[in-house]
Amino acid sequence: MNNFIVIVLDGVGIGELPDADKYGDRGSNTLANMAEYVGGLNLPNLQKSGLGNIDSIKGVDPVGKPLASFGKMNEVSVGKDSTTGHWELGGLHINKEFPLYPEGFPKSIVDEFIKETGVKGILGNIPASGTEIIERLGEEHLKTSYPIVYTSADSVFQIAAHEEIIPLERLYEICEIARNKVLTGDNAVARVIARPFIGKPGKFTRTTNRKDFSLDPFGYTILDYLYHNNINTIAIGKINDLFNYRGIKTGYKTKSNAEGMDKLLRISSEAVSSFIFVNLVDFDVYYGHRNDPEGFARALKEFDNFLPSLLDKMDTSDRLIITADHGNDPTTPSTDHSREYVPLLFYSKEEPPRNLGVRNTFADVAQTIAHFFKVNNDLKGTSFLYG
């Protein structure tokens, strides 16, 4: 049906990049280290596709005749967050890292935030895990009504609030003000994120009403080029937020990998001559950031179980790329993203599988998509499509 599908396994890296030491990530290898930790991964379908041909992964041996072309990709852009990784997959190179606040936000930003939003004050203002900070400050938030502001190793300004204290509409309004009036210029973080939660002290839980307020990509991405050439663009999951909905004709929000896989299966059966861009975020959010290699391995197994049903839906005119946006090694002391190569599996029933080697940039994905749809562009990267 002439569809091109890209699935991003969020956080599933495959070995430290040459400059990993600059980011404190020496020794990181999300797939290989996790496989060692759990005593070997059981991923028969990804193994048949050639995942074990990319790097040594315990339990995932190389195969003589893989179903897919295989390789790995180097990140040229500065940084290791989801926005940077996805924008490079989309054909851009980011030469300046988004601002980071490892010590919390300076007084000037906090004061401007309070002034513009009209809140009485804030709690937190530290880098923290989202679940940890609501446990620590949630009760005080209930008493004061102050929003909880925090960041992470990513370029994010996160605002947590109990849905009964700051209703969703008001929380979203606060985030939008922060995005458009406070976090601009040199302080233009990649994302402002609403993080609502519910419950009582000791039993707080985050809800699925998270909402991201992102920057527009600084240049045209593959989504823009396709959209303006009247090629159908479909985004599933986090893709919508990361590209700030630009260049996307139809977007689907998802709350889990399972929901994303279900939507992809349905859409791939219905769409014609479409680019379908999918992010499966559970690997990163629930397992990488929480240093849970066993959970990470289970999530990969669930994706592996799903893969044959997708391949069965594809015909000879379809193409599929499975890759990632960065690493998030759950076996290291850090709970942050890791600066890693990302795996590359390129499936086609028409093209013979081959070793794609080490690609110079994630942007090769964008050029391959452009080549497939015959769209002229000024994106970075080199196509690995035959013909």
Side-chain angles (χ1 to χ4, degrees), residues 337-357:
H337 295 157
S338 40
R339 177 85 171 170
E340 296 185 45
Y341 291 103
V342 297
L344 174 63
L345 295 173
F346 176 49
Y347 180 79
S348 164
K349 291 183 177 178
E350 208 170 46
E351 296 188 21
R354 62 200 195 277
N355 186 345
L356 297 172

Side-chain angles (χ1 to χ4, degrees), residues 178-236:
R179 169 79 286 167
N180 296 326
K181 295 187 176 181
V182 182
L183 298 158
T184 59
D186 290 340
N187 297 314
V189 296
R191 286 176 290 159
V192 175
I193 307 176
R195 293 286 199 175
F197 64 96
I198 57 174
K200 297 179 180 180
K203 294 184 179 180
F204 291 125
T205 57
R206 296 199 291 188
T207 74
T208 55
N209 294 317
R210 164 184 170 159
K211 187 172 182 180
D212 291 41
F213 298 78
S214 302
L215 293 173
D216 272 343
F218 62 77
Y220 262 29
T221 71
I222 186 61
L223 287 164
D224 296 303
Y225 280 105
L226 297 177
Y227 185 88
H228 290 290
N229 278 275
N230 298 313
I231 294 164
N232 193 32
T233 52
I234 301 169
I236 300 174

Side-chain angles (χ1 to χ4, degrees), residues 7 21-22 123 126 189 220 227 303 379:
I7 303 174
D21 202 37
K22 295 178 183 176
L123 301 174
I126 55 173
V189 296
Y220 262 29
Y227 185 88
F303 176 75
L379 300 172

Side-chain angles (χ1 to χ4, degrees), residues 104-118:
F105 299 99
K107 185 175 184 297
S108 57
I109 290 180
V110 173
D111 289 348
E112 189 70 10
F113 174 75
I114 291 171
K115 174 188 170 186
E116 292 291 344
T117 60

Side-chain angles (χ1 to χ4, degrees), residues 71-85:
K72 61 183 180 181
M73 297 190 292
N74 174 59
E75 185 168 21
V76 171
S77 299
V78 179
K80 55 176 182 176
D81 65 14
S82 292
T83 301
T84 301

